[in-house]
Amino acid sequence: MGVPLFASSLERYHDRIVERLAEVTRSGRYILGPEVSAFEDELAAYLGVRHCVGVANGTDALTIALRALGVEPGDEVVLPSFTFYATAEAAVNAGAVPVFCDVDRDTACVTGESVERAITPRTRAIVPVHLFGNVAPVEEIASLGLPVLEDAAQAAGALRGGRRAGALGDAATFSFFPSKNLPCLGDGGAIATNSDDVADRARRLRFHGSADKETFDQVGYNSRLDELQAAALRVLLPELDRWTEARRTAAAAYETQGLGEVAGLALPRPVPGSEPAYHLYVARHERPDALAGALAERGVGARGYYRLPVHLQPSMLRFGGESLELPATDELARTNLALPMGTGLEDTAIAEVVAACEAAAAATPVG
Ligand SMILES: Cc1ncc(COP(=O)(O)O)c(C=O)c1O
């Protein structure tokens, strides 16, 4: 039958979304109107924070949030190298110097220790990334005494200690890119915070650095979530917990159906105390691309992510990445392999993936 890498679909929400989009079209309000305000309130209530600020995408959300937290040109921002490029790009676009730290090899998230090693007197903020939907130990990182911005782009729906990812740090950012756990129909993003000041600064920055559209106190951005995207998100947000539960059930089924016994395959581990949202289900193998090839022959989608970690990307070499030692980052970049995950993964599909992994691993011997 075959199992694609991404097993999710918005098909069944199509009619409701189109209805809401038609209402927005008729209303004539397209920018910063009632849909964005309502979605911001609903997302804030869902997360359990005081404010959400809708912006154009998850990358702008990071840049704006860093500046709203007080990051100034030349300040250092500690962030992982094993992440999507945008985490570091946003710091650079805020004028900051990215200082790359290592991650934990089993969880793919930063730890209090890995962050602490990268802190200097010039550090102004820390950006733990909740990679693949796992949740970094934010309270350990916050105890280091610097502002913490959660990059929760991949972690909508995840929990840590009963609280939502995105409600744990001084601020957090989300992406609603269509492949994300809470998707919109194009680009979209948001900043979440309990701080009135940070929210106020973020609102100004998303509108050219102005509160009243007359006086421009700061050079900001034109970066708003638009009404059409907010209307679609308002249809989908109430589904997020159910979707997340489906992803967790699929992850648990991989274990009960024996994926952990496949020779040479290491399964992802939740950060202790965290309940991941399984944006992706990322295992490790010494020959991941050969294994992906063998899985493709058996109709199962698989691919590696971030093979060249961010500190070694050409545009980032000026920050000294070549002399950094980040062993877990190097290992994960080399060995990671995402296996099928999504909201529509039936038990039969899980069984098919496990059987395909067994056969593919046998055809892909290691060391
Ligand atoms: C960890 C991480 N941070 C930031 C982003 C940027 O989000 P966007 O694509 O909405 O700009 C993404 C997603 O693409 C991401 O995965």
Side-chain angles (χ1 to χ4, degrees), residues 246-294:
R247 289 172 179 276
R248 289 197 189 116
T249 302
Y254 272 139
E255 303 232 0
T256 51
Q257 296 207 29
L259 191 66
E261 274 101 72
V262 172
L265 200 66
L267 304 193
R269 290 284 151 239
V271 173
S274 296
E275 292 173 65
Y278 293 103
H279 171 55
L280 295 169
Y281 188 86
V282 183
R284 300 196 312 276
H285 188 273
E286 280 300 313
R287 296 177 61 203
D289 297 327
L291 188 68

Side-chain angles (χ1 to χ4, degrees), residues 30 44 52 56 95 110 120 124 128 144 166 172 193 247 259 293 309 338 360 362:
Y30 305 124
C52 279
V110 299
T120 78
R124 187 68 186 82
L144 299 169
T193 182
R247 289 172 179 276
L259 191 66

Side-chain angles (χ1 to χ4, degrees), residues 262-263 285 287 289-295 297-298 355-366:
V262 172
H285 188 273
R287 296 177 61 203
D289 297 327
L291 188 68
L295 285 167
E297 282 167 23
R298 291 160 178 83
C357 282
E358 276 161 6
T364 316
V366 289

Side-chain angles (χ1 to χ4, degrees), residues 1-3 257 298-300 347-357:
M1 236 170 57
V3 186
Q257 296 207 29
R298 291 160 178 83
V300 169
D347 266 1
T348 48
I350 297 273
E352 194 175 328
V353 175
V354 174
C357 282

